[in-house]
Amino acid sequence: MAKKKRDLEFYYLIILFLSGMGAIFYSIIWGDKTIDYEAVLQQNLPGVTAIEKTIGTQRAYKVEAAGEKYYAVCDSAVGYQSRIEVMTIVGSAGSVVKAVVTKHGETPIFFERLYTQKLFERFEGLSVREPIYLGGASGYSGDLDNRETDNYIDAITGSTLSSHAVAESVNKSTAYVASQFFNTHWDNPYDRFQFTVKDLAMMMIYLIALAAAYLKKLVRFRLWLLLASFAVMGFYVKRFIAVSNLFSLITLQIPRLTDLGWYVLIIGALGFIVLLGKNMYCAWICPFGAVQEALNKVSGFKSWGISPQTIKRMKLVAPTLLWLAVMLGTFLGDYGTLDYQPFSALFLFKAVWVMWLMLPVFIFISLFISRFYCQFFCPVGFLLTLLNRWRNKGVRACQQIRVQMGNHWKSSKG
């Protein structure tokens, strides 16, 4: 009977996996909405009389409207979890008239802030004859830093990644307009590689975790490293793996190397699994796991007894919630549904109202059940553990094949 239940759970997970991946690939291949760019131009420029698409791979247009000439260019950059495409409209005087988002898949609660705080209006009037820098974006390419210029906008606090992607998209477009129509060329600051103190701090956390995989004596300091990660990754760097990051990797919406932090975060965690066969991120680095484990140890409360049968059933909650989020995102055409984790509420102080309600519940129960959220609800933990299990099974299978081939070769030789 127990074997039958294990089989049912196995097939249940297989069905979730295959249908979920099918939904994602469907959205990639067939679910992408076709944008009527000429209609976008007519909506944003009154009195359009002529639209001419320029020759070349760049999506660019020459437009005549109300007796004036305009240039419109579409380009994109990767934000928090998706590629953001922006149409930048430039007037004949060489100034930005409008910046209009034509496509994105960002988390609504974060992206909506760009509209409510009027990020797009800030581009209006800025010149295409020099880069448009991004203020308040220390550590990101294109940061204003201490440059003496009025050609900049300020990033939206708490939505810096999305703000940066929008600014990068606009700069790609203005650089094209400047070179093609105003005989002006400048180096795009968003193409420059950045290495910051925050990147170094992340790398140090990962390097210590790497050392712990080889030096068993470091295990006794594991809780201290988790607390350091809680402070560094959670509140200083403000970066942690969310399922939306893994989704962007699956859909190949990967930022350029100018965003070094993304590569340290994601490639580092996956590198531990591929090279070491260990999920070091969850065990040694995750800042939300750190706060749960630390509170559990400090509280000293007696652990709630949960039967193995109940634990086995509860382990299915994380993949089920993830499947529901993927299917709902496919149905709605908006994968903001994947952002249902409590990380942003705790570390960024922004989340949907459900997460604000659930955060204290997860924290409270973690006093009695160590890493309660991690064990039963976290989609990232589930996915990384699954990948780690597959990797180790694959390695063992390869080793068995190699041994069998070696034995066969010896017997045939003898």
Side-chain angles (χ1 to χ4, degrees):
M1 186 69 179
K3 188 176 186 303
K4 184 178 179 182
K5 287 185 177 179
R6 285 198 298 272
D7 290 342
L8 288 175
E9 291 165 3
F10 172 79
Y11 289 120
Y12 175 72
L13 291 175
I14 288 294
I15 291 170
L16 293 187
F17 174 78
L18 293 177
S19 58
M21 291 302 296
I24 291 173
F25 285 120
Y26 169 83
S27 69
I28 294 172
I29 299 171
W30 294 289
D32 197 18
K33 297 178 181 177
T34 302
I35 306 297
D36 187 344
Y37 293 97
E38 294 191 6
V40 174
L41 285 167
Q42 291 171 345
Q43 291 169 5
N44 288 276
L45 288 174
V48 173
T49 55
I51 299 175
E52 176 191 351
K53 188 175 186 314
T54 60
I55 298 174
T57 56
Q58 182 72 52
R59 187 176 294 279
Y61 302 88
K62 295 179 182 178
V63 186
E64 291 184 14
E68 296 287 338
K69 288 186 178 181
Y70 298 91
Y71 308 99
V73 180
C74 286
D75 219 315
S76 63
V78 174
Y80 177 68
Q81 72 177 33
S82 71
R83 185 164 289 278
I84 302 172
E85 184 182 75
V86 181
M87 174 182 282
T88 305
I89 303 175
V90 178
S92 57
S95 298
V96 175
V97 174
K98 274 192 175 182
V100 182
V101 173
T102 52
K103 194 186 302 182
H104 82 90
E106 297 289 87
T107 304
I109 191 172
F110 292 105
F111 204 74
E112 188 62 31
R113 295 169 65 89
L114 275 58
Y115 287 106
T116 57
Q117 298 190 31
K118 301 185 182 304
L119 175 79
F120 303 101
E121 286 85 340
R122 299 178 188 181
F123 288 101
E124 296 174 8
L126 298 183
S127 176
V128 302
R129 292 181 173 85
E130 62 175 305
I132 298 175
Y133 294 97
L134 187 64
S138 178
Y140 291 85
S141 58
D143 177 36
L144 176 64
D145 201 14
N146 295 316
R147 293 181 177 86
E148 295 293 333
T149 179
D150 294 325
N151 217 52
Y152 73 93
I153 64 164
D154 287 317
I156 303 300
T157 304
S159 296
T160 308
L161 279 170
S162 297
S163 301
H164 180 268
V166 170
E168 182 179 345
S169 303
V170 171
N171 267 265
K172 288 179 180 178
S173 298
T174 55
Y176 177 85
V177 171
S179 63
Q180 295 295 314
F181 306 113
F182 293 94
N183 196 30
T184 303
H185 301 269
W186 39 263
D187 292 329
N188 194 335
Y190 293 82
D191 293 337
R192 296 170 190 162
F193 178 79
Q194 300 284 315
F195 183 74
T196 67
V197 176
K198 289 184 177 181
D199 295 328
L200 179 61
M202 288 180 64
M203 293 177 69
M204 291 302 299
I205 293 291
Y206 272 73
L207 286 173
I208 294 173
L210 177 63
Y214 292 98
L215 303 175
K216 301 302 180 184
K217 293 182 179 180
L218 289 178
V219 173
R220 71 182 72 174
F221 303 108
R222 177 172 162 274
L223 185 60
W224 291 106
L225 177 62
L226 281 170
L227 291 174
S229 182
F230 170 70
V232 173
M233 302 289 288
F235 291 104
Y236 176 60
V237 179
K238 294 184 182 295
R239 276 199 150 169
F240 31 80
I241 298 180
V243 72
S244 53
N245 300 127
L246 300 178
F247 176 79
S248 67
L249 182 64
I250 293 171
T251 56
L252 299 180
Q253 299 187 77
I254 302 172
R256 296 188 298 171
L257 283 172
T258 51
D259 186 2
L260 180 61
W262 188 94
Y263 288 88
V264 174
L265 186 71
I266 305 300
I267 304 304
L270 296 178
F272 285 138
I273 292 173
V274 173
L275 300 177
L276 305 179
K278 296 180 180 180
N279 180 8
M280 299 296 288
Y281 177 82
C282 289
W284 287 81
I285 298 172
C286 176
F288 192 67
V291 69
Q292 292 177 86
E293 187 170 335
L295 287 173
N296 180 266
K297 290 185 180 297
V298 171
S299 67
F301 292 136
K302 184 179 179 180
S303 177
W304 289 349
I306 304 178
S307 68
Q309 200 72 9
T310 302
I311 291 176
K312 187 180 293 186
R313 289 170 183 165
M314 290 184 67
K315 290 284 188 182
L316 297 176
V317 173
T320 302
L321 287 177
L322 178 59
W323 180 84
L324 288 171
V326 168
M327 301 306 286
L328 185 60
T330 302
F331 176 75
L332 297 175
D334 182 358
Y335 284 103
T337 54
L338 294 174
D339 195 27
Y340 61 88
Q341 299 143 98
F343 311 142
S344 57
L346 181 61
F347 300 114
L348 303 178
F349 308 111
K350 293 183 298 298
V352 295
W353 64 271
V354 175
M355 279 301 100
W356 282 115
L357 291 177
M358 294 305 299
L359 177 62
V361 175
F362 291 138
I363 295 296
F364 175 74
I365 298 181
S366 69
L367 297 174
F368 305 94
I369 302 175
S370 183
R371 289 182 175 249
F372 174 71
Y373 173 81
C374 300
Q375 289 192 66
F376 305 116
F377 292 90
C378 182
V380 172
F382 168 75
L383 290 174
L384 293 182
T385 301
L386 183 65
L387 289 173
N388 193 63
R389 187 181 306 141
W390 285 350
R391 181 267 184 197
N392 291 337
K393 284 185 177 180
V395 169
R396 285 194 294 270
C398 290
Q399 290 173 343
Q400 290 174 359
I401 292 172
R402 187 173 62 183
V403 170
Q404 290 173 358
M405 291 179 65
N407 292 337
H408 177 73
W409 181 80
K410 288 179 181 178
S411 61
S412 62
K413 186 177 181 181

